[in-house]
Amino acid sequence: MYSADRKLFTLVSILIGIGIILSYTLTPYTTLLFDVSQFHFVIRQSIFGLLGISIIFGLSQLDPDKWLKPIGLTLFAVSLILMIAMPFLPESVVSAVGGAKRWIKVAGFSLAPVEFFKVGFVYFLAWSFSRKLGHHDGMGLKNEFKRFLPYAVIFVMAMFIIAFLQKDIGQVVVLGATLLFMLMFAGSSFRFFFTILGGIFTAIVIFILTAHHRILRIKSWWALAQNSVLGLLPDSIADKLRVPVEVEPYQIGNSLNAIHNGGLFGTGLGDGTFKLGFLSEVHTDFVLAGLSEEFGFIGLLFVVFIFLWMIQRIFKIANRSEDMSIYLFSMGIGLVLSFEFLVNAYGISGITPIKGISVPFLSYGGSAMLGAAFGVGMVLMASKKAKMDKDKKL
Protein backbone atom coordinates (compact mmCIF):
# COMPACT_ATOMS: atom_id res chain seq x y z
CA MET A 1 0.00 0.00 0.00
CA TYR A 2 1.25 3.49 -0.90
CA SER A 3 1.11 6.79 1.04
CA ALA A 4 -1.49 9.54 0.67
CA ASP A 5 -0.96 12.20 -1.98
CA ARG A 6 0.90 15.20 -0.50
CA LYS A 7 0.19 17.56 -3.39
CA LEU A 8 -3.58 17.24 -2.97
CA PHE A 9 -3.33 17.93 0.76
CA THR A 10 -1.19 21.03 0.12
CA LEU A 11 -3.50 22.43 -2.56
CA VAL A 12 -6.60 22.04 -0.38
CA SER A 13 -4.78 23.67 2.56
CA ILE A 14 -3.92 26.67 0.34
CA LEU A 15 -7.57 27.08 -0.68
CA ILE A 16 -8.70 26.88 2.95
CA GLY A 17 -6.11 29.53 3.88
CA ILE A 18 -7.37 31.85 1.12
CA GLY A 19 -10.95 31.28 2.33
CA ILE A 20 -9.95 32.33 5.87
CA ILE A 21 -8.37 35.54 4.54
CA LEU A 22 -11.51 36.32 2.51
CA SER A 23 -13.75 35.73 5.54
CA TYR A 24 -11.97 38.69 7.16
CA THR A 25 -11.40 41.10 4.30
CA LEU A 26 -14.92 40.76 2.82
CA THR A 27 -16.95 41.09 6.04
CA PRO A 28 -16.57 44.64 7.45
CA TYR A 29 -20.12 45.69 6.50
CA THR A 30 -21.63 42.37 7.64
CA THR A 31 -20.00 42.63 11.07
CA LEU A 32 -21.49 46.10 11.50
CA LEU A 33 -24.88 44.94 10.23
CA PHE A 34 -25.07 42.10 12.76
CA ASP A 35 -23.27 44.09 15.48
CA VAL A 36 -20.51 41.53 16.05
CA SER A 37 -16.75 41.77 16.42
CA GLN A 38 -14.73 42.50 13.27
CA PHE A 39 -13.03 39.14 13.87
CA HIS A 40 -16.30 37.20 14.30
CA PHE A 41 -16.34 35.52 10.89
CA VAL A 42 -12.60 35.00 10.51
CA ILE A 43 -12.37 33.31 13.91
CA ARG A 44 -15.22 30.94 13.12
CA GLN A 45 -13.88 30.22 9.64
CA SER A 46 -10.41 29.62 11.09
CA ILE A 47 -11.86 27.10 13.54
CA PHE A 48 -13.65 25.23 10.77
CA GLY A 49 -10.65 25.56 8.45
CA LEU A 50 -8.27 24.04 10.98
CA LEU A 51 -10.84 21.38 11.84
CA GLY A 52 -11.23 20.64 8.12
CA ILE A 53 -7.47 20.28 7.63
CA SER A 54 -7.34 18.00 10.70
CA ILE A 55 -10.15 15.85 9.29
CA ILE A 56 -8.41 15.61 5.92
CA PHE A 57 -5.08 14.68 7.51
CA GLY A 58 -6.67 12.22 9.95
CA LEU A 59 -8.63 10.42 7.25
CA SER A 60 -5.54 10.27 5.01
CA GLN A 61 -3.76 8.21 7.65
CA LEU A 62 -6.43 5.49 7.83
CA ASP A 63 -6.38 2.14 6.04
CA PRO A 64 -8.84 2.37 3.12
CA ASP A 65 -9.54 -1.37 3.22
CA LYS A 66 -10.85 -1.03 6.79
CA TRP A 67 -12.30 2.47 7.01
CA LEU A 68 -13.41 3.78 3.61
CA LYS A 69 -16.61 1.73 3.35
CA PRO A 70 -17.81 2.19 6.98
CA ILE A 71 -17.23 5.96 6.89
CA GLY A 72 -18.84 6.40 3.47
CA LEU A 73 -21.97 4.37 4.20
CA THR A 74 -22.31 5.92 7.68
CA LEU A 75 -22.24 9.43 6.19
CA PHE A 76 -24.88 8.37 3.67
CA ALA A 77 -27.23 6.70 6.17
CA VAL A 78 -26.94 9.17 9.06
CA SER A 79 -27.24 12.32 6.94
CA LEU A 80 -30.21 10.87 5.04
CA ILE A 81 -32.00 10.01 8.29
CA LEU A 82 -31.31 13.51 9.64
CA MET A 83 -32.68 15.16 6.49
CA ILE A 84 -35.84 13.06 6.71
CA ALA A 85 -36.26 13.88 10.41
CA MET A 86 -35.49 17.62 10.24
CA PRO A 87 -38.96 18.83 9.16
CA PHE A 88 -40.43 17.20 12.28
CA LEU A 89 -37.87 18.50 14.78
CA PRO A 90 -38.58 21.59 16.94
CA GLU A 91 -36.99 24.95 16.09
CA SER A 92 -34.92 24.72 19.27
CA VAL A 93 -32.94 21.98 17.50
CA VAL A 94 -33.32 22.96 13.84
CA SER A 95 -32.78 26.43 12.36
CA ALA A 96 -35.54 27.53 9.96
CA VAL A 97 -34.86 30.19 7.31
CA GLY A 98 -37.55 31.13 4.81
CA GLY A 99 -39.68 28.21 5.96
CA ALA A 100 -36.95 25.68 5.14
CA LYS A 101 -35.25 23.65 7.86
CA ARG A 102 -31.72 23.02 6.59
CA TRP A 103 -29.49 23.35 9.67
CA ILE A 104 -29.18 21.44 12.93
CA LYS A 105 -27.92 23.38 15.94
CA VAL A 106 -24.82 21.82 17.49
CA ALA A 107 -22.85 23.50 20.32
CA GLY A 108 -23.62 27.03 19.15
CA PHE A 109 -23.06 26.22 15.48
CA SER A 110 -25.46 25.20 12.71
CA LEU A 111 -24.59 22.21 10.53
CA ALA A 112 -26.33 21.29 7.27
CA PRO A 113 -26.67 17.48 6.86
CA VAL A 114 -26.96 17.87 3.07
CA GLU A 115 -23.25 18.81 2.87
CA PHE A 116 -22.31 15.44 4.39
CA PHE A 117 -25.03 13.63 2.44
CA LYS A 118 -23.35 14.62 -0.83
CA VAL A 119 -20.17 12.77 0.17
CA GLY A 120 -22.11 9.76 1.49
CA PHE A 121 -24.32 9.69 -1.62
CA VAL A 122 -21.27 9.67 -3.90
CA TYR A 123 -19.71 6.84 -1.92
CA PHE A 124 -22.96 4.84 -1.94
CA LEU A 125 -23.19 5.21 -5.72
CA ALA A 126 -19.52 4.25 -6.18
CA TRP A 127 -19.82 1.22 -3.89
CA SER A 128 -23.07 0.04 -5.46
CA PHE A 129 -22.14 0.80 -9.10
CA SER A 130 -18.90 -1.14 -8.73
CA ARG A 131 -20.88 -4.20 -7.63
CA LYS A 132 -23.88 -4.05 -9.96
CA LEU A 133 -22.95 -2.01 -13.03
CA GLY A 134 -20.31 -2.46 -15.69
CA HIS A 135 -19.70 -2.62 -19.40
CA HIS A 136 -22.35 -5.03 -20.63
CA ASP A 137 -22.57 -4.69 -24.40
CA GLY A 138 -25.89 -5.49 -25.98
CA MET A 139 -27.87 -5.19 -22.75
CA GLY A 140 -30.43 -2.90 -24.36
CA LEU A 141 -31.96 0.35 -23.17
CA LYS A 142 -34.86 -1.35 -21.37
CA ASN A 143 -32.58 -3.52 -19.25
CA GLU A 144 -30.36 -0.54 -18.45
CA PHE A 145 -33.42 1.29 -17.13
CA LYS A 146 -34.33 -1.71 -14.98
CA ARG A 147 -30.82 -1.77 -13.57
CA PHE A 148 -30.93 1.98 -12.88
CA LEU A 149 -34.43 2.01 -11.29
CA PRO A 150 -33.35 1.50 -7.62
CA TYR A 151 -30.93 4.42 -7.87
CA ALA A 152 -33.60 6.57 -9.49
CA VAL A 153 -35.92 5.88 -6.55
CA ILE A 154 -33.23 6.88 -4.02
CA PHE A 155 -32.38 10.01 -6.01
CA VAL A 156 -36.02 11.08 -6.35
CA MET A 157 -36.50 10.62 -2.61
CA ALA A 158 -33.41 12.71 -1.89
CA MET A 159 -34.50 15.30 -4.46
CA PHE A 160 -37.90 15.62 -2.77
CA ILE A 161 -36.28 16.20 0.63
CA ILE A 162 -33.69 18.68 -0.62
CA ALA A 163 -35.73 20.53 -3.26
CA PHE A 164 -39.19 20.65 -1.68
CA LEU A 165 -38.66 20.38 2.07
CA GLN A 166 -35.36 22.28 2.25
CA LYS A 167 -35.97 24.41 -0.88
CA ASP A 168 -32.38 23.96 -2.05
CA ILE A 169 -32.49 23.49 -5.83
CA GLY A 170 -28.77 24.08 -6.27
CA GLN A 171 -27.82 20.94 -4.36
CA VAL A 172 -30.19 18.88 -6.51
CA VAL A 173 -28.52 20.23 -9.67
CA VAL A 174 -25.07 19.27 -8.34
CA LEU A 175 -26.15 15.80 -7.21
CA GLY A 176 -28.12 15.12 -10.39
CA ALA A 177 -25.19 16.07 -12.63
CA THR A 178 -22.82 13.96 -10.53
CA LEU A 179 -25.13 10.94 -10.68
CA LEU A 180 -25.45 11.28 -14.44
CA PHE A 181 -21.70 11.38 -15.09
CA MET A 182 -20.95 8.63 -12.59
CA LEU A 183 -23.37 6.41 -14.51
CA MET A 184 -21.37 7.04 -17.66
CA PHE A 185 -18.04 6.32 -15.94
CA ALA A 186 -19.56 3.14 -14.46
CA GLY A 187 -20.15 1.76 -17.96
CA SER A 188 -23.64 2.83 -19.06
CA SER A 189 -24.22 3.34 -22.77
CA PHE A 190 -24.27 6.78 -24.39
CA ARG A 191 -27.85 6.16 -25.49
CA PHE A 192 -28.88 5.61 -21.88
CA PHE A 193 -26.85 8.67 -20.79
CA PHE A 194 -28.57 11.01 -23.24
CA THR A 195 -32.00 9.52 -22.51
CA ILE A 196 -31.57 10.23 -18.81
CA LEU A 197 -30.19 13.68 -19.64
CA GLY A 198 -33.30 14.44 -21.69
CA GLY A 199 -35.54 13.22 -18.88
CA ILE A 200 -33.74 15.42 -16.34
CA PHE A 201 -34.02 18.46 -18.61
CA THR A 202 -37.75 17.82 -19.06
CA ALA A 203 -38.22 17.46 -15.30
CA ILE A 204 -36.39 20.76 -14.69
CA VAL A 205 -38.61 22.57 -17.20
CA ILE A 206 -41.77 21.16 -15.58
CA PHE A 207 -40.40 22.00 -12.12
CA ILE A 208 -39.84 25.64 -13.18
CA LEU A 209 -43.19 26.04 -14.95
CA THR A 210 -45.19 24.75 -11.97
CA ALA A 211 -44.12 27.60 -9.66
CA HIS A 212 -44.68 31.30 -10.41
CA HIS A 213 -41.69 32.51 -8.35
CA ARG A 214 -39.35 30.23 -10.32
CA ILE A 215 -40.71 31.61 -13.61
CA LEU A 216 -40.04 35.15 -12.35
CA ARG A 217 -36.52 34.17 -11.33
CA ILE A 218 -35.82 32.75 -14.80
CA LYS A 219 -37.24 35.91 -16.44
CA SER A 220 -35.09 38.07 -14.18
CA TRP A 221 -31.99 36.12 -15.16
CA TRP A 222 -32.88 36.13 -18.87
CA ALA A 223 -33.45 39.90 -18.82
CA LEU A 224 -29.80 40.30 -17.84
CA ALA A 225 -28.30 37.57 -20.02
CA GLN A 226 -30.39 38.03 -23.18
CA ASN A 227 -28.30 40.73 -24.89
CA SER A 228 -25.17 38.60 -25.09
CA VAL A 229 -27.15 35.61 -26.39
CA LEU A 230 -29.64 37.28 -28.73
CA GLY A 231 -26.88 39.30 -30.39
CA LEU A 232 -25.81 36.07 -32.11
CA LEU A 233 -29.28 35.46 -33.63
CA PRO A 234 -31.13 37.15 -36.52
CA ASP A 235 -33.27 40.15 -35.46
CA SER A 236 -36.49 38.39 -36.47
CA ILE A 237 -35.82 35.59 -33.98
CA ALA A 238 -34.18 37.76 -31.30
CA ASP A 239 -37.16 40.13 -31.10
CA LYS A 240 -39.48 37.24 -30.28
CA LEU A 241 -37.23 35.95 -27.50
CA ARG A 242 -36.47 39.31 -25.91
CA VAL A 243 -38.21 40.22 -22.64
CA PRO A 244 -38.51 43.78 -21.26
CA VAL A 245 -35.89 44.76 -18.70
CA GLU A 246 -38.00 46.18 -15.88
CA VAL A 247 -35.48 45.97 -13.06
CA GLU A 248 -31.98 44.64 -13.38
CA PRO A 249 -31.36 41.80 -10.90
CA TYR A 250 -29.80 43.67 -7.98
CA GLN A 251 -27.31 41.05 -6.83
CA ILE A 252 -26.15 40.05 -10.30
CA GLY A 253 -25.70 43.66 -11.38
CA ASN A 254 -23.54 44.47 -8.37
CA SER A 255 -21.64 41.20 -8.73
CA LEU A 256 -20.71 42.07 -12.33
CA ASN A 257 -19.79 45.62 -11.28
CA ALA A 258 -17.53 44.23 -8.54
CA ILE A 259 -15.77 41.95 -11.02
CA HIS A 260 -15.36 44.86 -13.47
CA ASN A 261 -14.12 47.19 -10.73
CA GLY A 262 -11.34 44.74 -9.85
CA GLY A 263 -9.78 44.96 -13.29
CA LEU A 264 -6.51 43.13 -13.85
CA PHE A 265 -4.80 43.56 -10.47
CA GLY A 266 -7.70 44.41 -8.14
CA THR A 267 -8.35 47.30 -5.75
CA GLY A 268 -6.13 45.78 -3.08
CA LEU A 269 -6.67 43.71 0.05
CA GLY A 270 -9.50 45.25 2.07
CA ASP A 271 -10.15 48.08 -0.42
CA GLY A 272 -13.19 46.65 -2.23
CA THR A 273 -16.34 48.79 -2.24
CA PHE A 274 -19.14 46.48 -3.36
CA LYS A 275 -18.79 44.43 -0.16
CA LEU A 276 -20.03 47.53 1.73
CA GLY A 277 -23.73 46.68 1.51
CA PHE A 278 -24.08 46.36 -2.26
CA LEU A 279 -23.59 42.57 -2.20
CA SER A 280 -25.32 40.98 0.76
CA GLU A 281 -22.98 38.68 2.71
CA VAL A 282 -20.44 38.65 -0.11
CA HIS A 283 -18.24 36.22 1.85
CA THR A 284 -20.68 33.36 1.16
CA ASP A 285 -22.31 32.92 -2.25
CA PHE A 286 -20.55 35.89 -3.91
CA VAL A 287 -17.06 35.22 -2.59
CA LEU A 288 -15.65 34.98 -6.14
CA ALA A 289 -17.01 38.45 -6.94
CA GLY A 290 -15.40 39.85 -3.79
CA LEU A 291 -12.16 38.05 -4.61
CA SER A 292 -12.21 39.46 -8.16
CA GLU A 293 -12.68 43.02 -6.94
CA GLU A 294 -9.87 43.02 -4.38
CA PHE A 295 -7.38 40.72 -6.14
CA GLY A 296 -8.38 41.33 -9.75
CA PHE A 297 -8.26 38.94 -12.68
CA ILE A 298 -4.75 37.82 -11.68
CA GLY A 299 -5.91 36.83 -8.19
CA LEU A 300 -8.94 35.03 -9.54
CA LEU A 301 -6.78 33.24 -12.11
CA PHE A 302 -4.45 32.06 -9.32
CA VAL A 303 -7.36 30.64 -7.30
CA VAL A 304 -8.83 28.94 -10.38
CA PHE A 305 -5.40 27.45 -11.15
CA ILE A 306 -5.08 26.03 -7.61
CA PHE A 307 -8.63 24.68 -7.77
CA LEU A 308 -8.10 23.03 -11.16
CA TRP A 309 -4.83 21.54 -9.95
CA MET A 310 -6.68 20.08 -6.96
CA ILE A 311 -9.32 18.56 -9.26
CA GLN A 312 -6.58 17.19 -11.52
CA ARG A 313 -4.95 15.41 -8.55
CA ILE A 314 -8.31 13.90 -7.54
CA PHE A 315 -8.96 12.65 -11.07
CA LYS A 316 -5.39 11.34 -11.26
CA ILE A 317 -6.00 9.31 -8.10
CA ALA A 318 -9.13 7.92 -9.74
CA ASN A 319 -7.32 6.98 -12.94
CA ARG A 320 -4.44 5.32 -11.05
CA SER A 321 -6.81 3.20 -8.93
CA GLU A 322 -7.38 -0.43 -9.84
CA ASP A 323 -10.32 -0.70 -7.40
CA MET A 324 -13.51 0.22 -9.29
CA SER A 325 -15.27 1.64 -6.22
CA ILE A 326 -12.30 3.92 -5.43
CA TYR A 327 -12.16 4.99 -9.08
CA LEU A 328 -15.84 5.95 -9.09
CA PHE A 329 -15.76 7.57 -5.64
CA SER A 330 -12.75 9.75 -6.50
CA MET A 331 -14.33 10.73 -9.82
CA GLY A 332 -17.58 11.53 -7.99
CA ILE A 333 -15.94 13.79 -5.40
CA GLY A 334 -14.01 15.57 -8.15
CA LEU A 335 -17.26 16.07 -10.07
CA VAL A 336 -19.15 17.41 -7.02
CA LEU A 337 -16.43 19.97 -6.27
CA SER A 338 -16.22 20.95 -9.96
CA PHE A 339 -19.97 21.36 -10.39
CA GLU A 340 -20.22 23.43 -7.20
CA PHE A 341 -17.50 25.79 -8.44
CA LEU A 342 -19.06 26.07 -11.91
CA VAL A 343 -22.64 26.60 -10.67
CA ASN A 344 -21.45 29.39 -8.36
CA ALA A 345 -19.16 31.00 -10.97
CA TYR A 346 -21.84 30.91 -13.67
CA GLY A 347 -24.41 32.32 -11.24
CA ILE A 348 -22.40 35.33 -10.04
CA SER A 349 -21.46 36.20 -13.63
CA GLY A 350 -25.08 36.08 -14.86
CA ILE A 351 -24.59 33.13 -17.20
CA THR A 352 -27.09 31.01 -15.24
CA PRO A 353 -29.57 31.78 -12.44
CA ILE A 354 -28.10 31.97 -8.93
CA LYS A 355 -28.49 28.66 -7.05
CA GLY A 356 -27.06 29.50 -3.62
CA ILE A 357 -24.18 27.04 -3.95
CA SER A 358 -21.01 27.87 -2.02
CA VAL A 359 -17.50 27.68 -3.48
CA PRO A 360 -15.66 24.69 -1.96
CA PHE A 361 -13.14 25.74 0.72
CA LEU A 362 -13.50 29.46 -0.15
CA SER A 363 -17.03 30.45 0.89
CA TYR A 364 -17.72 31.12 4.55
CA GLY A 365 -19.56 28.25 6.23
CA GLY A 366 -18.70 25.37 8.51
CA SER A 367 -20.95 22.71 7.01
CA ALA A 368 -19.65 23.16 3.47
CA MET A 369 -16.06 23.23 4.75
CA LEU A 370 -16.38 20.04 6.82
CA GLY A 371 -18.40 18.19 4.17
CA ALA A 372 -15.81 18.94 1.50
CA ALA A 373 -13.05 18.02 3.97
CA PHE A 374 -14.60 14.58 4.49
CA GLY A 375 -14.77 14.12 0.71
CA VAL A 376 -11.15 15.09 0.06
CA GLY A 377 -9.95 13.23 3.17
CA MET A 378 -11.59 10.03 1.98
CA VAL A 379 -10.05 10.51 -1.49
CA LEU A 380 -6.64 10.91 0.18
CA MET A 381 -7.31 7.73 2.16
CA ALA A 382 -8.22 5.97 -1.09
CA SER A 383 -5.09 7.36 -2.80
CA LYS A 384 -3.01 5.00 -0.66
CA LYS A 385 -4.19 2.24 -3.00
CA ALA A 386 -3.31 4.23 -6.13
CA LYS A 387 0.15 4.22 -7.68
CA MET A 388 1.05 7.92 -7.68
CA ASP A 389 4.47 9.63 -7.72
CA LYS A 390 6.45 7.92 -4.94
CA ASP A 391 8.31 11.07 -3.91
CA LYS A 392 5.14 13.14 -3.44
CA LYS A 393 3.45 11.47 -0.49
CA LEU A 394 1.85 12.65 2.73
Side-chain angles (χ1 to χ4, degrees), residues 133-135 144 147 183-190 192-193:
L133 302 188
H135 295 273
E144 284 196 87
R147 190 174 60 173
L183 274 171
M184 185 174 68
F185 289 124
S188 295
S189 66
F190 279 102
F192 179 75
F193 174 84

Side-chain angles (χ1 to χ4, degrees), residues 160-174:
F160 176 80
I161 296 171
I162 298 171
F164 290 94
L165 299 183
Q166 299 189 357
K167 301 179 182 179
D168 196 350
I169 306 300
Q171 302 289 5
V172 173
V173 172
V174 170

Side-chain angles (χ1 to χ4, degrees), residues 51-200:
L51 185 57
I53 291 175
S54 300
I55 289 173
I56 293 171
F57 182 81
L59 289 174
S60 72
Q61 303 304 304
L62 299 179
D63 184 347
D65 292 327
K66 294 181 179 180
W67 290 101
L68 193 61
K69 180 179 176 181
I71 292 175
L73 294 182
T74 298
L75 283 175
F76 174 71
V78 173
S79 57
L80 181 60
I81 291 171
L82 286 175
M83 289 195 302
I84 294 173
M86 283 173 68
F88 308 102
L89 297 177
E91 292 192 5
S92 60
V93 179
V94 180
S95 300
V97 179
K101 294 183 176 181
R102 299 181 187 175
W103 296 273
I104 293 179
K105 300 176 183 177
V106 179
F109 296 91
S110 296
L111 293 179
V114 68
E115 298 293 347
F116 303 92
F117 173 77
K118 287 186 291 189
V119 179
F121 182 67
V122 168
Y123 183 80
F124 169 77
L125 292 179
W127 170 72
S128 187
F129 283 179
S130 65
R131 296 166 62 243
K132 297 183 179 297
L133 302 188
H135 295 273
H136 300 294
D137 296 332
M139 173 178 282
L141 191 61
K142 182 178 179 180
N143 289 327
E144 284 196 87
F145 270 108
K146 288 182 179 179
R147 190 174 60 173
F148 173 67
L149 185 59
Y151 306 106
V153 172
I154 294 174
F155 178 74
V156 169
M157 181 174 66
M159 183 180 69
F160 176 80
I161 296 171
I162 298 171
F164 290 94
L165 299 183
Q166 299 189 357
K167 301 179 182 179
D168 196 350
I169 306 300
Q171 302 289 5
V172 173
V173 172
V174 170
L175 287 174
T178 302
L179 169 62
L180 189 62
F181 278 87
M182 285 184 69
L183 274 171
M184 185 174 68
F185 289 124
S188 295
S189 66
F190 279 102
R191 184 172 61 167
F192 179 75
F193 174 84
F194 286 110
T195 302
I196 294 295
L197 181 63
I200 291 175

